[in-house]
Amino acid sequence: MSRETGPVEAGGGDGVEANTRRLEAGIETDFSDKMSYGSYLALDTLLSAQQPVSGHHDEMLFIIQHQTSELWLKLMLHELRAVRLQLASDNLRAAMKGVARIKHIQRSLTEQWSVLATLTPSEYAQFRGELGSASGFQSYQYRAVEFMLGNKNAAMLKVFEANPPAQAMLAKILAQTSIYDEFVQLLARRGFAVPAELLERDVSKAHVFNAELMEAIRVVYESPDDYWDLYEACEELVDLEDNFQLWRFRHVRTVNRIIGMKRGTGGSSGVGFLQRALDLVFFPELYAVRTEIGN
């Protein structure tokens, strides 16, 4: 091709430039009275929800990071509700299918921290003061996920007094069985020696380690061929908790990387407060039993 002739046209000179894909005849182009991709996803609403309060370039990253996390948390809650119902209905296979999906959601949430970690301390300092008292600690969806996994804490409801719908949603979940409560009840229905106090306990409080329950779970682990679906379910739940702890750890490290040991915008001690969450366990018997296997 010479400089004078310009780009070679594809299709024998039909007006479509080289290296350009032509539209096929059947592709829709008129959406004046049809639902489009953008209208189905409400993209005008979604993409207008990023409203920086400072003029700093990096605030957009900060907002999108947290908004996308909230979308993933919404989906996780959707799946956890289904898992809880499936366990209550003795449909263990369907419940574990839901757990498998949740694990992939957790992976996406954890990987997102690497994007936020590109925010340097000096960049964040340019707009951190504009956030006021806003903090991820106030994420009611995150708190709902913790409640559904079993980390119940009624004191957290006070944080949401200014948001009655969120507080009501959390109060409802607080009063319901967690997915671990439902798994324990399923074990009892299968004939395992689950102590009565666990089946009748106050489910608004966090589950704590029970030695008798661990012994029941030990039976599953020592005879996996006899209880394969339960054995597999135990390991899926361990994956779920491991993933959650990994998310917590990445959170701590990212916060430490960006603000060091400063106090959180929501009034917490910051990194120290987040680190203490790593000591909280959802399914303690599933970890404790590992010490007993083979003894």
Side-chain angles (χ1 to χ4, degrees), residues 211-240:
E212 291 180 65
L213 176 59
M214 185 195 68
E215 288 302 318
I217 291 173
R218 180 176 181 171
V219 174
V220 173
Y221 271 90
E222 291 185 337
S223 304
D225 291 339
D226 296 330
Y227 308 107
W228 185 262
D229 60 340
L230 294 172
Y231 176 70
E232 184 178 37
C234 287
E235 287 298 286
E236 289 288 324
L237 291 174
V238 169
D239 284 346
L240 197 63

Side-chain angles (χ1 to χ4, degrees), residues 44-107:
D44 287 346
T45 300
L46 182 66
L47 298 180
S48 64
Q50 296 73 48
Q51 300 291 329
V53 295
S54 75
H56 197 272
H57 171 84
D58 296 299
E59 190 184 353
M60 185 64 75
L61 159 64
F62 193 79
I63 292 173
I64 290 176
Q65 168 87 22
H66 289 84
Q67 287 182 338
T68 53
S69 292
E70 290 295 331
L71 286 173
W72 284 125
L73 289 170
K74 182 174 183 176
L75 181 57
M76 192 185 302
L77 281 171
H78 178 69
E79 297 299 336
L80 282 170
R81 289 186 177 102
V83 167
R84 180 178 169 274
L85 291 175
Q86 295 289 3
L87 288 172
S89 302
D90 290 326
N91 197 345
L92 189 57
R93 293 178 66 183
M96 291 306 106
K97 172 62 170 65
V99 169
R101 179 174 292 172
I102 291 166
K103 286 161 55 178
H104 285 287
I105 297 169
Q106 288 177 307
R107 186 171 298 112

Side-chain angles (χ1 to χ4, degrees), residues 262-275:
K262 293 185 182 73
R263 294 189 67 83
T265 50
S268 76
S269 59
V271 168
F273 181 77
L274 295 175
Q275 284 179 326

Side-chain angles (χ1 to χ4, degrees), residues 51-294:
Q51 300 291 329
V53 295
S54 75
H56 197 272
H57 171 84
D58 296 299
E59 190 184 353
M60 185 64 75
L61 159 64
F62 193 79
I63 292 173
I64 290 176
Q65 168 87 22
H66 289 84
Q67 287 182 338
T68 53
S69 292
E70 290 295 331
L71 286 173
W72 284 125
L73 289 170
K74 182 174 183 176
L75 181 57
M76 192 185 302
L77 281 171
H78 178 69
E79 297 299 336
L80 282 170
R81 289 186 177 102
V83 167
R84 180 178 169 274
L85 291 175
Q86 295 289 3
L87 288 172
S89 302
D90 290 326
N91 197 345
L92 189 57
R93 293 178 66 183
M96 291 306 106
K97 172 62 170 65
V99 169
R101 179 174 292 172
I102 291 166
K103 286 161 55 178
H104 285 287
I105 297 169
Q106 288 177 307
R107 186 171 298 112
S108 293
L109 277 165
T110 300
E111 288 175 352
Q112 283 189 187
W113 288 120
S114 64
V115 184
L116 190 61
T118 65
L119 185 67
T120 67
S122 55
E123 289 168 344
Y124 186 40
Q126 297 299 309
F127 63 88
R128 186 177 188 243
E130 302 294 329
L131 302 180
S133 298
S135 166
F137 181 77
Q138 299 145 18
S139 168
Y140 61 86
Q141 290 198 123
Y142 171 81
R143 205 62 60 197
V145 168
E146 282 201 324
F147 282 10
M148 292 201 75
L149 291 175
N151 185 21
K152 303 288 188 72
N153 186 346
M156 292 295 179
L157 296 182
K158 186 173 179 59
V159 177
F160 305 97
E161 286 181 348
N163 187 346
Q167 189 180 56
M169 183 263 279
L170 286 171
K172 180 179 178 180
I173 296 174
L174 188 74
Q176 291 176 337
T177 51
S178 69
I179 65 166
Y180 194 51
D181 289 321
E182 290 296 344
F183 180 66
V184 169
Q185 292 185 20
L186 184 148
L187 286 175
R189 293 193 296 272
R190 291 280 190 95
F192 287 85
V194 175
E197 69 249 32
L198 290 184
L199 303 177
E200 301 165 1
R201 79 180 194 87
D202 180 356
V203 297
S204 69
K205 301 185 185 309
H207 171 87
V208 295
F209 173 77
N210 184 285
E212 291 180 65
L213 176 59
M214 185 195 68
E215 288 302 318
I217 291 173
R218 180 176 181 171
V219 174
V220 173
Y221 271 90
E222 291 185 337
S223 304
D225 291 339
D226 296 330
Y227 308 107
W228 185 262
D229 60 340
L230 294 172
Y231 176 70
E232 184 178 37
C234 287
E235 287 298 286
E236 289 288 324
L237 291 174
V238 169
D239 284 346
L240 197 63
E241 175 150 350
D242 275 358
N243 287 347
F244 201 94
Q245 292 287 45
L246 181 59
W247 183 92
R248 282 172 166 166
F249 177 76
R250 288 297 305 275
H251 186 193
V252 171
R253 298 304 300 169
T254 302
V255 171
N256 193 23
R257 174 173 178 152
I258 296 174
I259 67 168
M261 302 305 291
K262 293 185 182 73
R263 294 189 67 83
T265 50
S268 76
S269 59
V271 168
F273 181 77
L274 295 175
Q275 284 179 326
R276 289 193 291 277
L278 294 171
D279 295 328
L280 301 175
V281 182
F282 297 124
F283 319 130
E285 294 81 8
L286 296 182
Y287 287 87
V289 74
R290 291 156 206 280
T291 305
E292 306 303 319
I293 301 301

